[in-house]
Amino acid sequence: MSDGPAQVREGDLGDGLARTTEDGESGRPTGKTEDGVSGGPARMMWERYEPVHDLVYFAPEARQAADGLGLRGFWMGYFALRAAPLGPVAAPVVTSSFYVFHADRVARALPDAWRYASPEAVLAARERAMDAAMTRVLGPDAVSSPRMAEAADLAWAAAEAADTAGRVLGAANQALPAPRLPHVRLWQALTTLREHRGDGHVAALVGSGIGPVAAMVLKAAAGESDAALLREGRKWDLATWQATQETLRARGLLDAAGALTAEGTALREAVEARTDAAAEQPWRALGEPATLRLATLLEPLARRVLAGRLIPPGNPVGLTGELWRSQGGASG
């Protein structure tokens, strides 16, 4: 992996349009999305940590770890690996906190998963899986480098500083002990920050009157993710999806073809802006120089993950920034 990532400059966060200088690949700024949404440090950092976090969903080592515990199939593994910080919770708790999944999808996995493996066993397996996945994807030299240790320390400081009031998944991950290995500690810190952001996003959706299916319909209409991938993966039937589209048309948010109207675009941008604003606090606590340094350290890691094409082309995680686009990302 290249040791020459983009250098993010001090002062770039002040105007809310964080940029990088020469990114070593495209030479273009990487702190602003191309879909009308500009973000400050929270969006800049999300674009860099989301791909690394996503190893737990898409790296084969995660599936192998779940299978090794006796968990049945991808979705039982997914829900157990992500929900384990909450303890042996029942399906309704996860349906609520994960927000976009049909209750039946969750109920097929939980609480049955806890009969095969305790949350403690799942968390231990999750750490082992991320150790193996990061070592394979990033390389042994990268995971044992001083840069990795530095990134882990900076990310852990940001995660520790995160205000988790009203943020269940963020709080549950923040409460976990620090892993021994620096690269696994980095992954856990980024996961805390990712769930912290996700909790805030759910609050922004609820406050805007956007329910679980509507959130996915609007995401697909914005071109961020493939509609069929979202609907089928979250186990919503076509009739419910189409009924939600009709409701959004009645609200003036979608046109007859299912595309966002001007009002729909404005609402989506407002939700994203509120999500970014709610996710700023850890980066304010870390401070601008340290945040920019962490961005520089994370960018080559994110690029390596994205280059490996682990994230499905339908983009279920909704990445939108230049890093995603520069690696050929598309909504399918």
Side-chain angles (χ1 to χ4, degrees):
M1 182 169 59
S2 169
D3 198 38
Q7 296 297 316
V8 188
R9 302 180 304 224
E10 287 195 45
D12 281 347
L13 303 189
D15 63 359
L17 296 175
R19 295 179 177 270
T20 62
T21 61
E22 305 162 2
D23 70 8
E25 294 189 31
S26 67
R28 291 175 289 181
T30 58
K32 182 179 179 182
T33 65
E34 295 180 355
D35 56 359
V37 177
S38 299
R43 182 161 293 265
M44 178 187 71
M45 297 306 293
W46 171 64
E47 291 171 1
R48 287 158 175 77
Y49 66 65
E50 179 70 33
V52 180
H53 163 79
D54 289 342
L55 289 169
V56 75
Y57 309 136
F58 305 119
E61 290 86 354
R63 177 63 187 270
Q64 292 161 7
D67 290 348
L69 293 171
L71 302 178
R72 307 290 183 87
F74 172 83
W75 286 111
M76 183 176 282
Y78 168 87
F79 287 115
L81 287 168
R82 189 176 172 199
L86 297 170
V89 292
V93 176
V94 172
T95 301
S96 173
S97 58
F98 288 19
Y99 198 63
V100 293
F101 289 91
H102 192 286
D104 288 350
R105 171 68 82 196
V106 185
R108 288 178 63 86
L110 300 176
D112 282 356
W114 312 130
R115 295 194 296 109
Y116 298 106
S118 68
E120 293 78 14
V122 173
L123 286 170
R126 187 170 86 165
E127 285 195 14
R128 293 192 298 270
M130 293 302 95
D131 174 20
M134 293 179 77
T135 300
R136 175 181 59 83
V137 173
L138 305 177
D141 291 343
V143 299
S144 62
S145 69
R147 295 171 63 86
M148 181 65 70
E150 182 185 3
D153 289 345
L154 290 170
W156 196 265
E160 277 191 319
D163 178 2
T164 55
R167 302 176 192 254
V168 174
L169 287 169
N173 276 277
Q174 188 186 62
L176 297 175
R180 176 180 59 84
L181 297 173
H183 57 291
V184 183
R185 188 164 68 252
L186 172 65
W187 181 86
Q188 180 54 60
L190 299 181
T191 295
T192 298
L193 292 163
R194 194 264 194 180
E195 299 290 26
H196 173 272
R197 178 185 176 87
D199 289 337
H201 184 57
V202 169
L205 290 169
V206 172
S208 300
I210 301 173
V213 181
M216 291 184 291
V217 170
L218 292 173
K219 179 179 286 291
E224 293 182 359
S225 299
D226 179 73
L229 184 69
L230 292 180
R231 181 179 64 79
E232 294 167 6
R234 276 67 171 173
K235 201 177 171 58
W236 294 97
D237 60 68
L238 184 59
T240 300
W241 189 273
Q242 292 174 336
T244 301
Q245 288 177 311
E246 287 302 317
T247 299
L248 294 174
R249 286 190 185 96
R251 290 177 64 181
L253 304 177
L254 294 181
D255 65 18
L260 291 175
T261 62
E263 186 176 349
T265 297
L267 176 61
R268 174 187 164 276
E269 291 180 2
V271 168
E272 293 300 313
R274 283 194 287 271
T275 299
D276 289 338
E280 295 283 342
Q281 184 268 334
W283 310 114
R284 289 197 300 269
L286 188 63
E288 183 173 328
T291 297
L292 296 175
R293 176 59 178 165
L294 180 57
T296 293
L297 295 169
L298 287 179
E299 185 159 326
L301 309 185
R303 288 188 181 277
R304 178 59 65 90
V305 174
L306 292 172
R309 299 295 192 268
L310 289 172
I311 299 176
N315 192 19
V317 297
L319 284 165
T320 59
E322 178 58 30
L323 290 181
W324 169 252
R325 299 176 192 276
S326 70
Q327 298 296 327
S331 60

